Amino acid sequence: MESLKYKALALDLDGTLTDSNKNLPPENKEALWKAMDLGVKIILISGRSVMGIRGLAKELEFEKRGGIIAAFNGGKIFDYQTGDIIQELMFPKEAIADTCAIVKKHGAQPLSYTDTHIVAETDTDEYVLRECKCNYTTVEKVSNLPEFLDYPIPKILGAGKHERLLKARDEFLAKYSHICDSFFAESFFLELAPKGVAKDKALSKICDYLNISRKELMACGDGLNDISMLEYAGLGVAMKNAYPETLSKADCVSPFTNDECGVAWAVETYILNS
């Protein structure tokens, strides 16, 4: 591992590691296994919940090979093999009800998570169902979301049309920027998170845990919430299908989309062939 230029590889999932059907292409899996055989530590970092990442970790054989999961954009980070908690941040309880109200006021749907389901006040909204697909689960429909959320939660997600979420974000940050952060994972997903949650901050914690420098970290992404990660890493690779803003911030752009195994290309080019 000492001779490796990149000792860790951080991977966004949706639009990056997985294809458009949320599956892990065999080419990506094989390339990652080769990198892991060299000693590269794989980090699965996503806005997804833990339940939405575990299946991919199992496919990549994290149980025997090791790996890091950073769920909720780094709100919960743990070593898959040892169970060590690297970071766990929770949404301020006092802001839950008002945050849900702000999202609904602007015509979008608030949702959060149990260990096994998405929880929301609707089970038919197209954007809520998109989040279900990302997490390989279904909706637990409740009549009053804030009342249901009487346990610690990592985040609230605003799901809906972008222009409506922009207004919700502005009102949310005007009230809660001292204790919360907010950013877009996709144009239709507004992350409402505890203060300090961001992919670059998460990777800083992980680098400390792994005892490596950010220069020894490579990252692949496509989304708006991947920009900070790509800028933080020693090498930030955007998929061909990335948002224009993300493409402009990457160190390099894969000639392939997520459906064409852009991650496999990046691993082969910058890790296996270097």
Side-chain angles (χ1 to χ4, degrees):
M1 187 168 174
E2 289 301 320
S3 61
L4 287 171
K5 184 175 182 180
Y6 300 112
K7 297 180 179 179
L9 172 60
L11 298 166
D12 171 61
L13 304 184
D14 299 294
T16 302
L17 179 62
T18 63
D19 63 23
S20 294
N21 293 316
K22 310 299 181 186
N23 296 319
L24 176 60
E27 294 89 341
N28 285 350
K29 187 191 301 185
E30 293 293 336
L32 292 177
W33 279 343
K34 289 176 183 176
M36 294 161 93
D37 287 343
L38 293 176
V40 177
K41 184 69 72 172
I42 303 301
I43 303 159
L44 301 182
I45 182 166
S46 172
R48 289 188 187 189
S49 64
V50 174
M51 66 181 165
I53 303 177
R54 280 193 187 277
L56 292 170
K58 288 180 179 178
E59 271 199 80
L60 289 170
E61 300 182 352
F62 272 21
E63 292 101 328
K64 70 175 183 179
R65 295 173 178 267
I68 305 290
I69 285 182
F72 305 114
N73 291 295
K76 182 168 184 176
I77 310 170
F78 63 97
D79 186 312
Y80 193 91
Q81 213 170 29
T82 67
D84 290 344
I85 301 294
I86 299 168
Q87 173 168 276
E88 189 163 25
L89 303 173
M90 292 300 175
F91 193 87
K93 190 174 182 179
E94 66 273 20
I96 290 175
D98 192 36
T99 299
C100 291
I102 290 170
V103 173
K104 290 173 68 176
K105 172 184 172 182
H106 293 286
Q109 290 292 334
L111 63 85
S112 196
Y113 309 82
T114 68
D115 288 341
T116 55
H117 291 85
I118 303 298
V119 57
E121 292 177 0
T122 171
D123 56 7
T124 58
D125 180 85
E126 64 172 303
Y127 298 106
V128 172
L129 294 177
R130 285 192 191 191
E131 178 64 357
C132 289
K133 186 175 181 180
C134 288
N135 287 277
Y136 313 111
T137 189
T138 55
V139 182
E140 181 174 345
K141 184 180 176 181
V142 297
S143 58
N144 187 308
L145 184 60
E147 284 185 8
F148 183 86
L149 298 175
D150 61 354
Y151 53 92
I153 59 170
K155 72 175 184 182
I156 293 171
L157 187 73
K161 293 185 177 179
H162 188 64
E163 60 272 17
R164 296 175 181 177
L165 293 174
L166 284 171
K167 294 176 182 177
R169 182 191 64 178
D170 290 345
E171 183 173 344
F172 173 77
L173 289 177
K175 288 186 175 183
Y176 297 111
S177 61
H178 61 297
I179 54 173
C180 293
D181 281 325
S182 180
F183 48 88
F184 283 94
E186 302 279 1
S187 61
F188 45 82
F189 285 156
L190 177 64
E191 304 274 344
L192 305 164
K195 195 77 173 175
V197 169
K199 289 193 176 183
D200 59 336
K201 294 174 183 176
L203 290 177
S204 177
K205 295 275 187 183
I206 294 169
C207 284
D208 287 344
Y209 176 78
L210 296 175
N211 195 27
I212 64 172
S213 73
R214 59 191 286 188
K215 290 182 180 180
E216 296 172 304
L217 172 71
M218 177 176 151
C220 297
D222 76 296
L224 300 171
N225 60 330
D226 294 327
I227 291 173
S228 69
M229 171 176 81
L230 298 182
E231 291 183 320
Y232 177 83
L235 179 68
V237 183
M239 299 297 101
K240 185 180 179 181
N241 53 283
Y243 280 86
E245 301 96 316
T246 310
L247 292 170
S248 70
K249 299 295 185 180
D251 296 311
C252 67
V253 177
S254 170
F256 302 105
T257 68
N258 63 311
D259 286 321
E260 298 165 334
C261 303
V263 164
W265 173 87
V267 172
E268 288 162 3
T269 302
Y270 295 107
I271 295 176
L272 302 182
N273 294 333
S274 64

